[in-house]
Amino acid sequence: MTIVALVASGPLRMGATGPAVKTMQLALKGRGYPLTGTGYFGGQTDTAVEDFQRKQGLPATGVVDKATAAALDGMATAPPPVASAAPAPLWLAVSLAHLGLKEAPGSANNKELVADIKTVAKDYQNDATPWCAGWVSFCLAKAGEKPTSQPLWALSYSDTKNQPVVKLAGPAVGAIAVKTRNGGGHVTFVAGRTKGGALACCGGNQNDEVNVSPYGESAFVGFYWPKGAALPAKVGLKNLPVVTTSGKPVSSEA
């Protein structure tokens, strides 16, 4: 049965359960999304659906309506993507989807930004408070991964002993990159590399916004990964794709 037929009586959304949800999840899994076909439409499935919708040029609602179902059905008959076209880790996809989100000027607050971070740090009140770690925590949680128990503390993401992260041997697409600086640290996600050989990192509180910024690899104390998530197949700067400031791979490195 097609997914379009499965949603004929109504769309699938957060909280839905049953065989229709499982069929939809397995269709997404076939295109590289980290879903296992549980039959429960939770946060991770919602984020995967949103990412798929963006890539298909559909409104990113997270709701599997007839248009989304038709796109999923069409995908089932298409040839599988090459390995390099596999989706970015969901937490990185969440961050990339918010490029340009920035602090409000002066004493005002960006309500969307504050609301996002409050989902993982309920006491967060205004965007003048450093929010790079809060942003990483929000993206991880929305992707179905566990943030640290100190969601606003950048250096907590380098604590492999007490926090749900493991250290990688080097940078990888989606890696959590941690660096120290006066008064604390900074944490961001590796999106790829620049043509000049720097890391291209997508994170929050980078010039007061979510953007992709270049960093030298040596600036970081280490690269980390959510504990329990499937580990990246390759690590190391030379294995990263060259990306633009939007985080998209470039067609040529020339």
Short mmCIF file of all heavy atoms in Angstrom, two decimals, residues 3 7 10-13 24 41 49 53 61-66 68-69 72:
data_model
loop_
_atom_site.label_atom_id
_atom_site.label_comp_id
_atom_site.label_asym_id
_atom_site.label_seq_id
_atom_site.Cartn_x
_atom_site.Cartn_y
_atom_site.Cartn_z
N ILE A 3 2.01 5.22 0.62
CA ILE A 3 1.88 6.10 1.78
C ILE A 3 0.73 7.08 1.55
O ILE A 3 0.03 7.47 2.49
CB ILE A 3 3.21 6.81 2.06
CG1 ILE A 3 4.29 5.77 2.36
CG2 ILE A 3 3.08 7.77 3.25
CD1 ILE A 3 5.68 6.33 2.52
N VAL A 7 -2.45 7.79 4.21
CA VAL A 7 -2.85 9.08 4.81
C VAL A 7 -4.16 9.59 4.23
O VAL A 7 -4.55 10.73 4.49
CB VAL A 7 -1.74 10.15 4.65
CG1 VAL A 7 -0.44 9.66 5.28
CG2 VAL A 7 -1.53 10.53 3.20
N GLY A 10 -6.42 10.89 6.78
CA GLY A 10 -5.91 11.98 7.60
C GLY A 10 -4.39 11.95 7.65
O GLY A 10 -3.79 10.88 7.52
N PRO A 11 -3.74 13.11 7.82
CA PRO A 11 -2.28 13.16 7.84
C PRO A 11 -1.69 12.54 9.10
O PRO A 11 -2.38 12.35 10.10
CB PRO A 11 -1.99 14.68 7.80
CG PRO A 11 -3.21 15.30 8.41
CD PRO A 11 -4.36 14.44 7.98
N LEU A 12 -0.43 12.19 9.00
CA LEU A 12 0.32 11.67 10.14
C LEU A 12 1.10 12.80 10.78
O LEU A 12 1.74 13.59 10.09
CB LEU A 12 1.27 10.56 9.70
CG LEU A 12 0.66 9.35 9.02
CD1 LEU A 12 1.76 8.42 8.49
CD2 LEU A 12 -0.25 8.60 9.99
N ARG A 13 1.07 12.86 12.11
CA ARG A 13 1.79 13.92 12.81
C ARG A 13 2.26 13.41 14.17
O ARG A 13 2.01 12.26 14.53
CB ARG A 13 0.89 15.15 13.01
CG ARG A 13 -0.47 14.84 13.60
CD ARG A 13 -1.23 16.09 14.03
NE ARG A 13 -1.26 17.13 13.05
CZ ARG A 13 -2.20 17.29 12.12
NH1 ARG A 13 -3.20 16.41 12.05
NH2 ARG A 13 -2.18 18.29 11.28
N MET A 24 6.00 4.81 6.85
CA MET A 24 6.60 6.10 6.54
C MET A 24 8.02 6.19 7.08
O MET A 24 8.94 6.67 6.41
CB MET A 24 5.71 7.21 7.11
CG MET A 24 6.25 8.62 6.96
SD MET A 24 7.26 9.13 8.39
CE MET A 24 6.04 9.16 9.69
N PHE A 41 5.33 8.12 16.16
CA PHE A 41 5.73 9.39 15.55
C PHE A 41 6.17 10.35 16.66
O PHE A 41 5.38 11.12 17.20
CB PHE A 41 4.54 9.98 14.78
CG PHE A 41 4.89 11.01 13.74
CD1 PHE A 41 4.33 10.95 12.48
CD2 PHE A 41 5.76 12.05 14.03
CE1 PHE A 41 4.62 11.91 11.51
CE2 PHE A 41 6.06 13.01 13.08
CZ PHE A 41 5.50 12.93 11.81
N VAL A 49 11.08 14.25 9.10
CA VAL A 49 10.07 14.66 8.13
C VAL A 49 10.29 16.11 7.70
O VAL A 49 10.24 16.44 6.50
CB VAL A 49 8.64 14.46 8.69
CG1 VAL A 49 7.60 15.10 7.77
CG2 VAL A 49 8.34 12.98 8.88
N GLN A 53 11.02 17.33 3.94
CA GLN A 53 10.15 18.31 3.29
C GLN A 53 10.96 19.49 2.73
O GLN A 53 10.71 19.94 1.61
CB GLN A 53 9.10 18.81 4.28
CG GLN A 53 8.04 17.76 4.61
CD GLN A 53 7.12 18.17 5.74
OE1 GLN A 53 7.55 18.82 6.70
NE2 GLN A 53 5.86 17.77 5.66
N THR A 61 6.53 21.37 7.79
CA THR A 61 5.56 21.34 8.88
C THR A 61 5.78 20.16 9.83
O THR A 61 5.28 20.16 10.95
CB THR A 61 4.14 21.23 8.32
OG1 THR A 61 4.04 20.01 7.57
CG2 THR A 61 3.82 22.42 7.41
N GLY A 62 6.48 19.13 9.35
CA GLY A 62 6.62 17.91 10.13
C GLY A 62 5.40 17.01 10.04
O GLY A 62 5.39 15.92 10.63
N VAL A 63 4.39 17.43 9.32
CA VAL A 63 3.15 16.66 9.15
C VAL A 63 3.19 15.95 7.80
O VAL A 63 3.46 16.57 6.76
CB VAL A 63 1.92 17.58 9.22
CG1 VAL A 63 0.64 16.79 8.94
CG2 VAL A 63 1.85 18.27 10.57
N VAL A 64 2.94 14.65 7.81
CA VAL A 64 2.93 13.89 6.56
C VAL A 64 1.54 13.98 5.95
O VAL A 64 0.63 13.21 6.27
CB VAL A 64 3.34 12.42 6.81
CG1 VAL A 64 3.37 11.65 5.48
CG2 VAL A 64 4.70 12.35 7.47
N ASP A 65 1.38 14.96 5.07
CA ASP A 65 0.12 15.16 4.37
C ASP A 65 0.20 14.45 3.02
O ASP A 65 1.15 13.71 2.74
CB ASP A 65 -0.18 16.65 4.22
CG ASP A 65 0.99 17.40 3.57
OD1 ASP A 65 1.91 16.74 3.03
OD2 ASP A 65 0.99 18.65 3.61
N LYS A 66 -0.77 14.70 2.16
CA LYS A 66 -0.78 14.00 0.87
C LYS A 66 0.41 14.37 0.01
O LYS A 66 0.98 13.51 -0.68
CB LYS A 66 -2.09 14.29 0.14
CG LYS A 66 -3.32 13.66 0.79
CD LYS A 66 -4.58 13.95 0.01
CE LYS A 66 -5.81 13.30 0.67
NZ LYS A 66 -7.06 13.60 -0.07
N THR A 68 3.43 15.34 0.99
CA THR A 68 4.63 14.70 1.54
C THR A 68 4.60 13.20 1.28
O THR A 68 5.62 12.60 0.93
CB THR A 68 4.74 14.99 3.04
OG1 THR A 68 4.76 16.40 3.25
CG2 THR A 68 6.01 14.38 3.62
N ALA A 69 3.42 12.61 1.43
CA ALA A 69 3.27 11.18 1.18
C ALA A 69 3.59 10.85 -0.28
O ALA A 69 4.25 9.85 -0.57
CB ALA A 69 1.86 10.72 1.54
N LEU A 72 7.27 10.85 -0.73
CA LEU A 72 7.84 9.63 -0.17
C LEU A 72 7.59 8.42 -1.07
O LEU A 72 8.47 7.59 -1.26
CB LEU A 72 7.25 9.37 1.22
CG LEU A 72 7.77 10.26 2.35
CD1 LEU A 72 6.87 10.15 3.57
CD2 LEU A 72 9.20 9.90 2.71
#
